[in-house]
Amino acid sequence: MAVVQDFDKGNRKKAGRALPWKWIGVVALIFLASAAVTVRLVIARAEPILRTRVVDTLSNRFHSKVELARFHVSLVNGIEVSGDGLKIFGATDPNPYEPGVQALIGVQEFRFQTALLALFHSPMHVGTVYVKGLELNIPPKENRREITNMSSRAPKMTIFVDQFICEDAKLVINTSKPGKLPLEFAISDLKMKDIGPGQPFQFNATLVNPKPVGDIQSNGLFGPWKPDSPRDTPVQGDYSFTRADLGTIKGIGGTLSSTGEYSGTLSNIVVHGKTDTPDFRVATSGHPVPLHTEFHAVVDGTSGDTYLRPVNATFLHTSFTANGSVVRVSAPNGHDIELDVAMDDARIEDLLKLGVHTDPSIMSGPVEMKTRLSLRPGDSSVADRLALAGTFHVLSGHFASEKVQGKLDSLSLRSQGKPKQAQEHAEENVPVDLRGVFTLKDGLLSFSMLHFLIPGTRVDMTGDYSLDGQTFDFRGKAWLDAKISQMTTGWKSIVLKPVDPFFSKDGAGTEIPIKITGTQSEPHFGLDFGHKDEPGSVGKNNDRESRPE
């Protein structure tokens, strides 16, 4: 019995010693359960608090309707907030041409994180907000007064954000002008940092350029925002555009790189930059040439219209300047380009190499040119959309073909009354003075006046020449210093003497109708006695001083 009693007493002592630990375990479980309930209550309490703060902040800021499809809060690492389907509406639809009512600002997804204690401060401080699928819909100019709610007169914000990081953003600037489409900017990455009240945002952006395809990297300052006049909002920065594929523009090719800097306001952005395309080519020729430009431009960021003042360009041994405009249109969708181009230091062989398929170029020599360039919008090739109208002057040209140059040398000698030297095939390599008035449309060069001068001969013609070299058709008149009988020898000279008066002009020299037909590689020169002059046609030249005496 004593042993049993001692055993029972030992068990009671052990049970007594274990009892406090059991109570501690129970208390711990109760505490954990209470903590879990508390966390759930905090989360349940935090979600409506934060949701209200977000919606109120945006509503007060924009004085407009705000929608928020989903909103979630986690307390695993401080306060983590995420949501989607955020829309901020204006007083009017910024783009009534799209179905439904468009929001001023739309966000597909957003998230941010902050300390738990920040929940109980106003304004609540957030370091970085991450946004995906941001779309800014700027109303037409006449309806933009509604966004004056973005001004500093708006109620005090209850959330302050240091930095925004956006993925797949889009800026849409709407217009109510007939024939104008909204101006859209696709921005694959955007980082914006607030550097202080009333100060501009620092930004770093990657813009997606549709044509030519490529990414534009830009860094700079934007703002402060001018809600009463958004067009006057300051902007400045620099950009780089590398390895842009010009082949995405039908009719041209090459890889373009460009760098520059800009400053001004949204409606008047002054840009200084340069471009380099080591392999620029036009489809009609396929010959790559190195093209370098330096330009000064004024861009209206609210419409996308650009004014070039000027562009200085060089390729091979040719340089030129261009001034004009690049204006967005909607019918068809694209840009209407109008440029005034002046070439005072150019080579005809460079122009032919760039624009004509035949190699080598049919002519070489210095050339001066002034032309109006028009490139209408559309999806067809650049050559099909390009139009030119202007004048040119080749001061001292030579033909690359020995056959063609030989015929000119022979013609020059005979027209000067030196038929024996022509028969001996004397190498004169006479220079050609060539000038004209031309238009280019649908790949066809048309000359309303073509003035051709070599020693002893002057020719005035009109005609057409296709850039593919398959059309070569010119007709006109030639004035020669010598009489017909003086351009040959022997019995032919004697036989032709009686016909000299029929072709002489003012008692001296010869006037004959001529034609040049065939192709660029095989032109054919001949007389055109069947051709009848039309009133005002080339050949009835009143400039007596330009005729050889």
Side-chain angles (χ1 to χ4, degrees), residues 214-472:
D215 291 339
I216 302 174
Q217 303 290 334
S218 184
N219 305 280
L221 299 174
F222 178 81
W225 181 258
K226 302 287 187 182
D228 293 326
S229 180
R231 295 169 58 87
D232 296 326
T233 299
V235 61
Q236 68 178 49
D238 55 63
Y239 76 90
S240 64
F241 188 27
T242 58
R243 300 192 61 78
D245 183 9
L246 295 179
T248 55
I249 303 175
K250 190 175 181 180
I252 63 174
T255 302
L256 176 144
S257 298
S258 178
T259 58
E261 57 187 23
Y262 55 89
S263 62
T265 63
L266 276 182
S267 63
N268 194 71
I269 305 173
V270 179
V271 186
H272 298 276
K274 61 181 181 180
T275 71
D276 282 289
T277 309
D279 55 350
F280 180 75
R281 59 190 179 275
V282 178
T284 53
S285 71
H287 299 144
V289 300
L291 174 64
H292 173 79
T293 72
E294 295 182 4
F295 63 89
H296 174 89
V298 178
V299 180
D300 185 342
T302 64
S303 67
D305 296 341
T306 301
Y307 303 91
L308 302 170
R309 301 171 180 168
V311 176
N312 296 309
T314 59
F315 69 95
L316 299 177
H317 302 93
T318 292
S319 62
F320 64 91
T321 61
N323 292 270
S325 62
V326 182
V327 177
R328 295 179 69 252
V329 296
S330 62
N333 183 21
H335 293 84
D336 189 4
I337 301 175
E338 296 283 343
L339 299 176
D340 289 313
V341 181
M343 295 184 176
D344 298 321
D345 185 16
R347 302 287 300 182
I348 187 64
E349 63 267 30
D350 293 347
L351 299 181
L352 294 172
K353 183 178 181 65
L354 179 63
V356 179
H357 179 69
T358 303
D359 193 22
S361 301
I362 62 171
M363 179 181 281
S364 63
V367 61
E368 297 174 351
M369 180 183 294
K370 294 185 184 299
T371 183
R372 178 74 169 178
L373 181 151
S374 301
L375 184 63
R376 60 183 184 271
D379 297 325
S380 58
S381 170
V382 169
D384 295 332
R385 295 184 284 120
L386 178 66
L388 299 174
T391 62
F392 74 95
H393 184 192
V394 180
L395 285 77
S396 181
H398 293 86
F399 284 90
S401 170
E402 293 182 1
K403 182 178 180 180
V404 174
Q405 188 65 48
K407 288 183 177 181
L408 290 177
D409 291 347
S410 177
L411 173 62
S412 177
L413 290 170
R414 290 182 182 278
S415 64
Q416 295 178 76
K418 303 175 182 178
K420 288 185 178 181
Q421 294 183 36
Q423 289 176 344
E424 295 169 356
H425 304 288
E427 293 186 6
E428 292 289 303
N429 198 26
V430 295
V432 176
D433 188 284
L434 185 65
R435 68 177 70 205
V437 178
F438 69 93
T439 60
L440 169 65
K441 189 174 183 181
D442 299 325
L444 185 68
L445 268 170
S446 297
F447 295 87
S448 60
M449 187 278 282
L450 191 61
H451 179 85
F452 176 89
L453 181 65
I454 59 175
T457 302
R458 179 177 65 84
V459 179
D460 282 347
M461 294 183 292
T462 61
D464 298 322
Y465 165 65
S466 64
L467 295 184
D468 61 8
Q470 298 306 306
T471 299
F472 208 100

Side-chain angles (χ1 to χ4, degrees), residues 47 50-51 54-55 67-74 80-87 107-112:
E47 279 197 1
L50 282 175
R51 182 187 180 95
V54 169
V55 173
E67 291 182 358
L68 184 55
R70 188 186 69 84
F71 191 83
H72 177 69
V73 176
S74 171
E80 294 181 343
V81 178
S82 62
D84 55 46
L86 174 63
K87 293 183 179 180
V107 176
Q108 293 179 6
E109 302 174 16
F110 68 89
R111 59 185 174 87
F112 63 86

